[in-house]
Every structure is written in C-alpha cells, then in structure tokens.
Amino acid sequence: MSTTTESPALHIQPDAAALAHAAAELLLERANAAIADHGHVSIALTGGSTPRVLYARLADPELRGRTDWARWRVFFGDERAVGPEHADSNYRMAREALLAHVPIPATQVHRLAGEAALYPGTLEDYTAALARDVAPNPALRGGFPGFDLLLLGMGADGHVASLFPGSPALEETTAWVVVNPIAQMGTRRLTLTLPVLNAAREVWLIVTGANKAERVQQAFAAGEDDQTLPVMRVRPRAGKLVWWLDAEAARLLPKRHTHPQS
Ligand code: 6PG
C-alpha cells in the first residue's frame, strides 16, 4: 500500500509494550519538532488497547519531562456515543492514561462529545475548535484541518477511527466530523472523516495482535485504487503514513516489508 507522497514507514516491535515504548519516544520527537517549527503540536488521539499503553508511556515520569505540554493541542479522532465518564469513552481512557498526568491546558484538550451522537447539533463546537486550533495542511487545498500527528488504531475488520466497513461516513467528502451509524454494531459513533485523516502531516497506524495480521497483509498488498477496507483509504495527500506493528500483527507480511535490507 502506498501514499501519494511517499511509501509508508514501517516499525515492527516484538510486542505491544515494546511498541508503546518505541512509539512514545518518536512521538515526543515529532511533537517537539512541530513545536519548534510552528509553536505548537496538534494531535488527534485514538481509542484502542495499544494506544492506551502508548499514552501511559508518555505520562511516565521518565518521559513526560521531555516536552512542553503547554504547546499541545489535543483532539480525538472518534468517540463512542457515550459521555466522558462511561467505561467505553475514548476520552476517559486518554484522560486516565495521559491527560490527567500532564499539564496540558484544559482549553487545549478538545473532547469529542460522544453524547452528541444522539444530538448531532453539537458537532459545530468541535468543528469550530478544529478550525481554530488545527491549521490546514499548507501543501493542500480544501482547507481541511491538517493535524501534525494523527493516531489511528485498526480493528480486525479493517476499520479506523469509527469508519467501519460499509458505514456512510466513509463517503463523506466535506464535513470534518460526523455522526456515523454502525449497522454491524447497532449503534452510532462520532468520527473524523477521511478528508481530515488524509490532510494530516503524519498519520500513525498502531496495530497489534494476531487477529489483525490478515488485514495488515491485505492492506499492504492493496493497490492504489483498492478501497475494500477503510484502512486502505488512509492515504495522507501531503503527509507521511507510519505503521507501528507488533510481531503478531506483522507475521503475514512478505519479507520485503519486514526485512527490507535482506
Ligand atoms: C475506538 C478506536 C478504534 C480502535 C480500533 C482498534 O474507538 O475503539 O478509535 O478505531 O482504534 O478498534 O482497537 P484495538 O487497538 O483495541 O484493537
């Protein structure tokens, strides 16, 4: 799979813990580079089990002193149709693993109000925050907010954020954030749309576990026009795509990907 600008970068780590450690180090480097370049870093967090380990690592006393958290602008790529205290809330997970432990000004943490899935009228606030705090990617037209770093997980069905196979939000070309009905789950979720994902300057796909190996193999084998899985449609238009895999998720990849030097 490739993006329009450059081939994806691939980091393979033995397991989720090692991945989280390595990814945290590089994430801080990227964040500090963005801060040095334009005074802040805009980042979209994702839900998921591996990202949670990454967030906890960022909050570790050994690392958390390595960045100026006052320069961070935090958003969420998606959220379940629940409030911030619900066990399923991505916001709650990120708050417990990271946000409660680092001094990011509260006005710079933008919760995607999961309860809005029931009352879509409140999406305007989130869209306004994106317009205010996430500048468009200077290399692109269209004015979509271009995150410095946008984190994604991937489900075993190839979904990213809350863009599930066959869900209507996959076809959204203008709105930045939508309520997306997920028929296969009998629920609705809030999600950033593909134009926003693909306007990011750097997108990280953080995927671990043997149950993801087949979709990872499928994604890497996909041609430019193959849109079978939502993950295949993540192609930053003027940015970098980075895969973070553990050995289990990478086990079906051909050697040319896992041992490029060989
Ligand atoms: C969510 C995430 C979702 C997640 C994948 C992978 O709301 O749960 O946004 O896209 O990243 O389902 O989750 P795991 O890493 O836990 O398998």
Side-chain angles (χ1 to χ4, degrees), residues 206-242:
I206 304 166
V207 184
T208 59
N211 67 325
K212 311 287 178 73
E214 281 184 30
R215 297 302 187 190
V216 167
Q217 180 190 40
Q218 217 180 329
F220 271 75
E224 282 288 326
D225 301 329
D226 187 342
Q227 299 194 339
T228 311
L229 301 175
V231 68
M232 296 173 180
R233 300 178 68 168
V234 177
R235 290 192 169 87
R237 292 164 52 214
K240 184 172 183 179
L241 179 62
V242 181

Side-chain angles (χ1 to χ4, degrees), residues 17 21 38 41 47 58 61 143 145 158 170-171 176 180 188 193 205 211 230:
H21 277 63
H38 45 271
V41 55
L58 287 171
L170 280 168
E171 307 314 322
W176 296 356
N180 193 24
R188 285 177 287 183
T193 57
L205 272 163
N211 67 325

Side-chain angles (χ1 to χ4, degrees), residues 46-51 78 80 90 153-155 159-162 189 212:
T46 180
S49 54
T50 307
D78 73 318
R80 289 82 182 280
N90 289 338
M154 184 192 76
H159 80 260
V160 293
S162 283
R189 289 193 178 183
K212 311 287 178 73

Side-chain angles (χ1 to χ4, degrees), residues 93-108:
M93 180 274 279
R95 186 189 66 212
E96 291 176 350
L98 174 60
L99 302 176
H101 308 286
V102 295
I104 302 174
T107 54
Q108 291 168 214

